């Protein structure tokens, strides 16, 4: 922990600098730490906490007193936030198993997103400090007027933001024109990790806004930004977040932790030792079995249309004699499973056809 190996910043693809003490000590073990860091991120989602904060909370839960070195006010605040993290016995056990080198299948986790109230976490990604500070002041004014609670974090560099991003924000205000960085490409990278977060582009030229459709952006704002316009967009973002306040799923793949809305899943199919999640925005492969996934889903709106293929009823458009249309995809509907599939779908929609 003290050397930063559990922050999530260092991976096999992005190791510690070679030739340093930390590099020599930890680079050979980064592959072994991958599963542990993924688990720290998953648990952290429940508390809006970083992997390092969850690791510190584990140390406290084991009766130790961590000595934390700080050089910035933000680090003091992060350390204080750890006191609010109470790990369950199951979470502690999972961390200890992974920390001990054992392998645990934990690829699917369900979380609830708290938006109502309003507790909102906002990220502002803009390389121009003055523009970012205007948005921060607007957020402060908005809070006072609406009696809401909104946390705003400012990032000047897209690399730093993407490195630290683990689906902890509800809304991202993203400058689409940053020197040396394509805001639209940043948005695509965000969508690879998180389909649920709301994105609002901030731009100097309105013609760039049409690109927002590629990443399902909520809206766009043209600079210079007025408070009236900003407050309208933030209200829209809050409404967007409340509409999407529903059960979400975390998928722990080799690429990292993905947060997606349950309603965005089209279907899930078995592929050798993997589960392939076909969603509205991407395809994600994680290790697992259909049986394990069905157990986790419980009585939610999923049913097998054929062996090894789970369909999300929310996205069913048509059921034929031997096929089911999910989104724009035709999937086979086996004769053996058709009766149960139709009965469960009728129950889902509340009363048959």
């Amino acid at each position: 922990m003290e050397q930063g190996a559990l922050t999530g910043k260092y991976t096999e693809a992005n190791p510690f600098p070679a030739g340093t003490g930390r590099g020599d000590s930890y680079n050979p073990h980064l592959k072994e730490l991958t599963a542990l860091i993924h688990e720290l991120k998953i648990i952290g989602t429940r508390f809006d906490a970083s992997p390092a904060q969850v690791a510190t909370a584990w140390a406290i839960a084991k009766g130790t007193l961590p000595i934390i070195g700080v050089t910035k006010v933000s680090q003091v605040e992060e350390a204080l936030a750890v006191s609010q993290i109470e790990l369950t016995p199951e979470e502690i056990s999972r961390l200890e198993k992974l920390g001990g080198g054992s392998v645990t299948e934990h690829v699917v986790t369900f979380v609830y997103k708290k938006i109502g109230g309003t507790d909102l976490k906002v990220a502002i990604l803009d390389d121009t400090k003055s523009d970012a500070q205007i948005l921060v002041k607007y957020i402060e004014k908005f809070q006072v007027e609406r009696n809401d609670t909104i946390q705003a974090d400012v990032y000047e560099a897209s690399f730093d933001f993407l490195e630290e991003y683990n689906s902890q924000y509800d809304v991202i205000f993203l400058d689409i024109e940053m020197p040396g960085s394509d805001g639209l490409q940043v948005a695509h990278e965000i969508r690879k990790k998180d389909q649920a977060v709301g994105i609002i582009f901030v731009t100097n030229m309105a013609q760039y806004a049409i690109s927002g459709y590629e990443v399902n952006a909520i809206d766009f704002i043209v600079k210079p930004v007025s408070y009236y316009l900003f407050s309208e967009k933030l209200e829209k973002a809050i409404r967007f977040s409340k509409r999407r306040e529903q059960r979400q799923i975390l998928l722990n793949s080799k690429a990292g932790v993905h947060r997606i809305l349950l309603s965005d899943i089209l279907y899930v199919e078995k592929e050798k030792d993997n589960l392939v999640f076909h969603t509205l925005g991407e395809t994600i492969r994680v290790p697992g079995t259909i049986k394990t996934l069905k157990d986790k889903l419980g009585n939610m709106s999923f049913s097998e249309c054929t062996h090894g293929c789970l369909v999300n009823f929310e996205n069913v458009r048509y059921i034929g004699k031997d096929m089911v249309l999910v989104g724009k995809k035709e999937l086979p509907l086996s004769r053996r499973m058709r009766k149960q599939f139709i009965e469960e779908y009728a129950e889902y929609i509340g009363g048959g056809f």
Side-chain angles (χ1 to χ4, degrees), residues 267-271 274-278 283-286:
Y267 63 98
V268 185
E269 62 180 334
K270 186 79 170 71
E271 185 184 83
N274 292 320
L275 293 175
V276 184
F277 286 75
H278 298 270
T283 300
I284 304 169
R285 285 175 171 79
V286 300

Side-chain angles (χ1 to χ4, degrees), residues 58-78:
W58 170 85
I60 294 172
K62 301 302 290 184
T64 67
L65 179 63
I67 306 299
I68 303 172
V70 297
T71 59
K72 303 176 183 177
V73 173
S74 61
Q75 292 172 333
V76 176
E77 293 172 342
E78 290 172 2

Side-chain angles (χ1 to χ4, degrees), residues 285-343:
R285 285 175 171 79
V286 300
T289 66
I290 289 290
K291 182 181 184 304
T292 300
L293 179 60
K294 287 173 69 175
D295 290 342
K296 287 180 177 290
L297 291 169
N299 60 353
M300 283 184 275
S301 57
F302 286 77
S303 183
E304 280 188 276
C305 63
T306 188
H307 181 69
C309 184
L310 273 176
V311 169
N312 185 356
F313 285 146
E314 188 163 345
N315 292 304
V316 169
R317 299 290 173 262
Y318 172 76
I319 299 176
K321 183 177 180 180
D322 57 4
M323 60 79 68
V324 55
L325 183 64
V326 185
K328 297 180 180 180
K329 176 72 173 179
E330 289 189 10
L331 298 173
L333 179 57
S334 74
R335 182 181 303 175
R336 181 174 65 86
M337 295 182 172
R338 187 174 188 276
K339 183 176 183 293
Q340 180 177 344
F341 185 88
I342 291 178
E343 288 176 350

Side-chain angles (χ1 to χ4, degrees), residues 143-158:
Q143 288 187 95
V144 173
E145 291 180 351
R146 305 300 201 280
N147 194 29
D148 290 333
T149 302
I150 303 174
Q151 176 186 326
D153 296 328
V154 176
Y155 295 84
E156 296 178 18
S158 58

Side-chain angles (χ1 to χ4, degrees), residues 39 42 90 94 98 104-109 250 252 296:
E39 184 65 30
I42 288 172
E90 181 186 11
R94 290 204 304 266
L98 290 170
T104 301
E105 181 183 296
H106 188 67
V107 297
V108 180
T109 304
L250 298 178
N252 189 4
K296 287 180 177 290

Side-chain angles (χ1 to χ4, degrees), residues 68 110 195 200 210 250 265 296 303 351:
I68 303 172
F110 294 103
Q195 293 181 28
I200 296 179
I210 192 68
L250 298 178
I265 298 173
K296 287 180 177 290
S303 183

